[in-house]
Amino acid sequence: MGIIETHIHLYSDEYKADRNALIQQAIDAGVEAFYMPNVDVHSIEPMFAVEKDFPQHCFAMMGLHPCYVKEDYKEQLAVIERQLASRTFVALGEVGIDLHWDKSFLAQQQDALNIQAEWALKYNLPIVIHSREANAESLEVLKPYMQRGLRGVFHCFSGSLAEVTLLKTYGWMIGIGGVITYKKAGLDTLIEEIGIGQVVLETDGPYLAPVPYRGKRNEPAYIDIIAQKIGDVLHMPKEAVVEQTTANSRLLFGNSFRNSK
């Protein structure tokens, strides 16, 4: 069973020089699928280009990232909605709330998240949540949708045991990436409470490279390092981590998109 990489920005300019080689290297190393989150209206076409080059392995999401929610967010959301209506996507994402860089657009981020959560239900798509220094705010918006059956994943999770418990109650997945290899992050302790049954693997490349590559460009093949670290923490063989996280990914995202394009 191959690895499913649930969150990587393969269309990023940081991969421009060697993108195809890096993707092929990861495929050869056992990655069977890459799920690509959209960020704004400008990333759509580059993302589609990667999908076209690797149609059996690279799959697009559609959404407006909270860091790109600015004065024009409703115009951007109109483009996002047209895309959602025009074809099939593996998920709606990445969306959410980010209060790390700028708190001045919180109201707009909350509105955008509400709108996109409604779309996820409308189109029967899992939602991929970006929540940075904003878990309370994100969950306040999302909980009513969870109660209506919204399913999804908290990407690059960093939160409390109480938040883990809430997400598990609603059957949500938790995305674990390179941060688990950072000594002071505390994620290695938290994952013991999460358990492997609701974890999916991600790199968030080109960002957040795992140790020993921290601070450098994160590459698709580094997903293997993350799987190994999770196995070390949970005292499981890496192969068992891959098998369970891939099953988790298939449960959340499904396989119907493979035959829908």
Side-chain angles (χ1 to χ4, degrees), residues 93-123:
E94 70 187 280
V95 305
I97 298 176
D98 189 311
L99 300 180
H100 177 74
W101 300 110
D102 185 356
K103 297 180 174 65
S104 63
F105 286 93
L106 173 58
Q108 291 88 342
Q109 289 187 28
Q110 290 168 320
D111 188 38
L113 180 53
N114 268 298
I115 290 168
Q116 293 179 99
E118 196 68 58
W119 289 345
L121 289 173
K122 176 181 177 180
Y123 291 102

Side-chain angles (χ1 to χ4, degrees), residues 55-183:
Q56 299 303 313
H57 297 281
C58 295
F59 304 97
M61 305 180 198
M62 184 51 55
L64 180 61
H65 189 294
C67 289
Y68 297 85
V69 173
K70 304 298 181 186
E71 293 88 348
D72 68 342
Y73 80 100
K74 289 194 174 180
E75 288 81 2
Q76 291 214 53
L77 285 175
V79 176
I80 300 298
E81 185 176 25
R82 287 196 295 272
Q83 289 290 340
L84 288 167
S86 70
R87 52 156 284 180
T88 301
F89 292 93
V90 70
L92 197 151
E94 70 187 280
V95 305
I97 298 176
D98 189 311
L99 300 180
H100 177 74
W101 300 110
D102 185 356
K103 297 180 174 65
S104 63
F105 286 93
L106 173 58
Q108 291 88 342
Q109 289 187 28
Q110 290 168 320
D111 188 38
L113 180 53
N114 268 298
I115 290 168
Q116 293 179 99
E118 196 68 58
W119 289 345
L121 289 173
K122 176 181 177 180
Y123 291 102
N124 192 28
L125 291 172
I127 194 168
V128 175
I129 298 299
H130 171 110
S131 181
R132 189 172 186 188
E133 299 177 18
N135 282 2
E137 292 84 354
S138 297
L139 288 168
E140 182 180 10
V141 173
L142 289 168
K143 191 172 179 181
Y145 297 100
M146 293 176 172
Q147 293 169 340
R148 292 169 56 193
L150 181 68
R151 65 197 195 280
V153 55
F154 256 64
H155 137 72
C156 194
F157 183 77
S158 175
S160 67
L161 180 56
E163 290 162 351
V164 168
T165 302
L166 176 64
L167 293 172
K168 292 179 75 171
T169 296
Y170 289 101
W172 276 48
M173 298 296 176
I174 294 171
I176 302 295
V179 175
I180 195 173
T181 67
Y182 302 171
K183 286 185 178 180

Side-chain angles (χ1 to χ4, degrees), residues 216-230:
K216 300 179 181 179
R217 181 184 71 170
N218 200 353
E219 298 186 3
Y222 295 169
I223 194 81
D224 189 69
I225 298 173
I226 296 161
Q228 182 64 62
K229 178 64 175 180
I230 292 172

